[in-house]
Amino acid sequence: MRHTQLFTKTRKDAPKDEVSKNAQLLIRAGYIHKEMAGVYAYLPLGLRVMNNIQRVIREEMNAIGGQELAMTTLQNPAPWQKTGRWSDEAIDVWFKAALKDGGELGLAPTHEEPITALMQEYVSSYKDMPKYVYQFQTKFRNELRAKSGIMRTREFIMKDLYSFSRDEAQFREFYEKCAAAYMRVFTRVGIADKTFRTFASGGSFSKFSDEFQTVCEAGEDTIYIHRQKGIAVNKEVYVDEVLAELGMQKSELEEAKSIEVGNIFPLGTRFSDALGLTYKDETGAEVAPVMGSYGIGPARLMGTIVELLSDAKGIIWPKEVAPFAVHLVSITGGNDEIVAEADRIYEMLKDHGIEVLYDDRDARAGEKFADSDLIGIPTRLVISEKTMSQGGIEVVTRANGTTTFVSDSSLVEHLQN
Ligand code: ATP
Ligand code: MG
């Protein structure tokens, strides 16, 4: 893509009311637009990052047998009334809307109820089990505090997967598979070294749930890390009894602020029981499937990446999520030969399937480099009078500022390695 075609522009300052680093940088670089507190639009660059994060998650969910579907945002109150979760006391973040005829509907804050009701139509025998279904879908939550930029918003996309298993053993097997898949996601998006599987409270369904918490000063949660075991305990279950059960001692744990980037949750038969979902086992008895739910917030992940992988100049995207693989920057000084050479390199990279943002603007070098640092594409290619006279291109790595010089003819190979 040519920069001159991009309708967004970088800006020096973020909105004054924006306190979080992730939103400040993402707004300044033109990734997102703030509609109002806790509500953000994704602009072309931001949408590319969002799609990349979702692609990584989708690949990992498909690899463990997930089937993608898309449920609805508008919610029929009926199944929620059956589970007792239609009330604002049960779910304190509901957005509800009145229908013209006097009825009411809800904007989905999560999807356990509709997926369980839906599966009733397709699950009847033990042969139908297990089933793993997931979606990337908009959730609405009337969050009280919306101050963490895109990490806690009132409208956001969630990847939510629901598992339906014959019994506890079959459920546990998938639960562990999904936990491993989550760690692969966090590795691929560059935050695994700071992300810990964390014991958290399990609500009414089971003793524990597992959160994936990323250590970060901007986090709203507090965890206690056991470095040796590579796991952590959420403050909400940090009591002697739980620690003893986990074989940990307070003296071995290290307190840290963290961001909950994902969460996996045993649901037992709470939803299948309430909504009458059963299957016939080998003996012909009607049995309630054991369920689990598995969430990741792609936007919260994007915000976390920016919080961790950025410096005073801007963002430093990891390769898998970067909006483009390379940022081609031409310093032409009005010289048509340099323009022609940069155009040629741009076409050549595109022909080789390399995703490139081409800063073809007629602007000063300082401005172009500052924007390039802010936008944070991992590799920058610079074409100028100096590089042309040497018959090549300067390759700058955003993460550490290292520079190498590569000849035209070996550029594609260099980038593909
Ligand atoms: P939190 O305790 O932070 O409010 P939660 O326990 O309500 O999160 P879930 O309902 O399990 O979270 O949602 C699954 C995932 O969706 C979370 O781990 C997080 O990544 C993401 N998520 C939750 N709430 C929001 C939000 N308001 N904005 C953006 N992402 C969110
Ligand atoms: Mg919440």
Side-chain angles (χ1 to χ4, degrees), residues 85 112 161-163 171-172 175 178 182 200-212 236 260 262-268 270-271 290-295:
R85 295 211 300 174
E112 281 83 1
L161 186 147
Y162 302 91
S163 67
F171 157 73
R172 274 290 154 193
Y175 191 80
C178 193
Y182 271 30
S201 68
S204 53
F205 323 120
S206 74
K207 213 162 189 177
F208 297 117
S209 68
D210 291 84
E211 293 172 343
F212 292 83
E236 65 190 18
E260 181 203 307
N263 156 344
I264 61 179
F265 221 92
L267 299 176
R270 169 171 184 205
F271 292 92
V290 176
M291 291 175 54
S293 70
Y294 312 78

Side-chain angles (χ1 to χ4, degrees), residues 111-224:
H111 279 84
E112 281 83 1
E113 278 77 354
I115 192 62
T116 308
L118 188 154
M119 290 310 267
Q120 228 175 4
E121 289 184 36
Y122 302 99
V123 165
S124 55
S125 147
Y126 65 92
K127 291 176 192 154
D128 297 327
M129 310 283 243
K131 286 283 175 283
Y132 312 118
V133 296
Y134 75 95
Q135 61 177 350
F136 287 91
Q137 217 261 2
T138 305
K139 312 290 184 210
F140 290 89
R141 292 186 181 180
N142 202 340
E143 301 273 2
L144 194 61
R145 297 161 298 142
K147 60 173 168 66
S148 300
I150 60 169
M151 301 198 295
R152 181 177 299 286
T153 57
R154 301 201 165 98
E155 172 180 343
F156 63 97
I157 291 175
M158 191 196 287
K159 184 289 297 174
D160 43 332
L161 186 147
Y162 302 91
S163 67
F164 297 83
S165 305
R166 288 182 195 175
D167 51 32
E168 188 68 26
Q170 197 174 57
F171 157 73
R172 274 290 154 193
E173 193 187 321
F174 181 77
Y175 191 80
E176 288 307 318
K177 259 193 195 168
C178 193
Y182 271 30
M183 283 314 294
R184 287 195 292 276
V185 168
F186 302 132
T187 299
R188 291 177 64 181
V189 305
I191 61 167
D193 58 328
K194 294 217 160 102
T195 303
F196 294 88
R197 182 169 172 174
T198 303
F199 286 92
S201 68
S204 53
F205 323 120
S206 74
K207 213 162 189 177
F208 297 117
S209 68
D210 291 84
E211 293 172 343
F212 292 83
Q213 294 275 2
T214 307
V215 174
C216 178
E217 266 312 305
E220 295 179 13
D221 288 6
T222 300
I223 59 168
Y224 294 86

Side-chain angles (χ1 to χ4, degrees), residues 97-105:
L99 286 167
K100 300 271 183 203
D101 70 0
E104 222 185 356
L105 49 73

Side-chain angles (χ1 to χ4, degrees), residues 353-369:
I354 294 169
E355 303 213 303
V356 46
L357 179 64
Y358 173 23
D359 192 346
D360 58 340
R361 294 174 302 171
D362 181 16
R364 284 178 304 108
E367 186 184 341
K368 286 188 165 192
F369 290 150

